[in-house]
Amino acid sequence: MKKPALSMAFGRKAPSSFQAPFVSNKTWLFLKLCAIALFASTAASPACADGLVENVNGITLDEDGKVIRFNAMLVGSDGKVTELLTKKDKLPKQLDFRLDGRGATLLPGLIDAHGHVMGLGFQLLTLDLSATNSLSEAQAAIKAYAAKYPERRWIIGRGWNQEKWGLGRFPTAQDLDAAVSDRPVWLERVDGHAGWANSRAMDIAGVNATTKSPPGGRIELISGKPTGIFVDAAAVLVGKFVPAPKPLERDIALGEAQKKLHSLGITAIADMGTTMDDWQSYRRAGDAGWLTLRIFAYAGGIDNMVAIAGPRPSPWLYNDKLRLGGVKLYLDGALGSRGAWLKRPYADAAGQTGLQFLASAEIRNLMVRASMDGFQTAIHAIGDAANAEVISAIEELSETYKGDQRWRIEHVQIVDPADLQKLGKYGIISSMQPVHQTSDRLMAEARLGPERLNGAYAWQSIARAGGKLAFGSDVPVESADPFAGLAAAITREDAEGQPFGGWRPEERVSREQALAGFTTGAAYAAFAEGKFGSLTPGHYADFILIDVDPLLASLRELRNATVKETWVGGRPVYKNAAANAADEKMNGEKR
């Protein structure tokens, strides 16, 4: 089954005559050499065995969410934690390595419960508009990018957001033509649920006034003519003409994504919508020995699920670094493009209720198809109608599938309060992204009106109902920074502290709940709770050293936390040279 929402522009096979979209022949050798150097440097990192990490402010959670504090940690030759020690305990002397934490806080490696690994990688390699604050800023960035890369036949990227720009409308092909008109341009919206094309791209795609919107998608029109905006499934009309990247380009993107995530303290991620091309990149990295990020993959639809894993979920591979254990399905779109499926029309768009991608029978059939072969289902649902439909389907299927299904709903942004209790009754995992609440607040108020906000981003209500919370970022839709996510979950305030006291503050979660969402909760959501997410004995020594205590620091300090080191399976995968140099200088002055 093809993903009905906007696919990554790189996820399709291109005719052999196409040039790769962001690499010229002149830079091909350079990129190849960079890739070889990247792989070699990572693979050459020696494994650690029977070691001690000492002089730390250690924090982890047990399976019941209880905080455990410790001052040192023993790591076995298998890369797993063997013992947590306090100041009262005697430290062993015969060791293969000792790591002095210099008083830093040691946490379990943070887990992003919902992200797009290759999407992040390609965002780092192509045009990123997420920092632009107006249409004019975006146009200037697009024009400058096109001038910088004159050899690229297509200008591709993502990150635009008309709400952030205060535009009051979608941008148009004419807006894009003003920046670049001589080459095709195709840019994904920040949420990945709409694409923006210039006139040249629409000409290549053959899109005109006679083109019909496909099921599950919408071509935005003005006076009966396409404006250049293609919502959800309609994006494929243009996106399928964008050249696909070559395998080496994919591997470079994976390397960039992995490096970025480790620098943020992330050691594992649920990859939502994995394609065969993505999977092959992960396997190449694993085979070559440079896969250090733990990836639990959810196939992008049933077709990818079967093609990648076959009749049953894959085993854990590469020392528990990679597994395909589930399938990602889409039931609706996003609020920003008015594609989220609502029970009643949008408050700011009379008559529109969003997009329902799958009929009731279809979503149930797909869930049954996955469950019969032991795959976990993760279903994208944002609007209250979409969430009600998924909850109803789970309610029905739970009569037949009584095992540990761990049904997942991705985003769970708008839920009818009448449906909240069922999230706990059926053990449904609510995979949510705290930063979405701070980014979407004003838009949600405009789209829904005040009367439908009681079930909006309702983290604490879900927890009180017995629901399971798993937190992530939806990277590259949002920054992957987990500390921004932790702060948002605790305060429901944005980076500027707005609104003071938090938006609908009754839905805030405690610091311990927030930390669980990015560690034990995220691991549980992917059937990985026995492997990582906690630093209790028997779990992998996936840990980070940071400069603040997340349970005690001010929220400003938490947002600005610095990751000093990141370790996976008892071996270092990232070191912050500047932070460590500063520590060494400070310790030298003290001596």
Side-chain angles (χ1 to χ4, degrees), residues 172-321:
T172 66
Q174 287 69 39
D175 293 327
L176 207 42
D177 292 342
V180 178
S181 60
D182 60 336
R183 281 179 279 170
V185 182
W186 178 243
L187 305 168
E188 290 188 1
R189 193 180 185 277
V190 64
D191 57 12
H193 285 270
W196 179 21
N198 70 350
S199 297
R200 180 71 182 124
M202 288 196 291
D203 288 342
I204 290 172
V207 173
N208 53 47
T210 65
T211 306
K212 305 297 182 183
S213 295
R218 183 177 69 247
I219 302 172
E220 290 290 320
L221 304 172
I222 293 179
S223 301
K225 296 180 180 179
T227 66
I229 296 297
F230 299 81
V231 178
D232 288 309
V236 74
L237 297 173
V238 178
K240 66 184 178 182
F241 290 91
V242 177
K246 296 170 181 168
L248 180 57
E249 293 175 316
R250 288 185 168 277
D251 294 348
I252 292 169
L254 172 58
E256 289 297 310
Q258 183 170 257
K259 181 169 64 175
K260 179 67 174 180
L261 292 170
H262 287 333
S263 75
L264 295 171
I266 295 170
T267 56
I269 188 169
D271 187 51
M272 288 293 166
T274 307
T275 66
M276 177 57 82
D277 286 332
D278 298 338
W279 182 257
Q280 289 175 333
S281 288
Y282 305 154
R283 291 300 304 265
R284 286 193 295 271
D287 290 344
W290 61 272
L291 182 66
T292 55
L293 179 69
R294 299 194 193 277
I295 301 174
F296 24 98
Y298 291 79
I302 297 294
D303 288 348
N304 277 309
M305 180 189 85
V306 174
I308 293 169
R312 62 188 62 84
S314 80
W316 282 98
L317 305 169
Y318 313 116
N319 292 322
D320 297 328
K321 296 279 194 345

Side-chain angles (χ1 to χ4, degrees), residues 55 212 234 396 469 523 582:
N55 188 20
K212 305 297 182 183
E396 292 176 26
L469 292 174

Side-chain angles (χ1 to χ4, degrees), residues 13-30:
K13 185 177 181 181
S16 58
S17 60
F18 272 114
Q19 178 190 7
F22 57 88
V23 178
S24 69
N25 292 330
K26 293 179 180 179
T27 59
W28 185 255
L29 179 59
F30 171 74

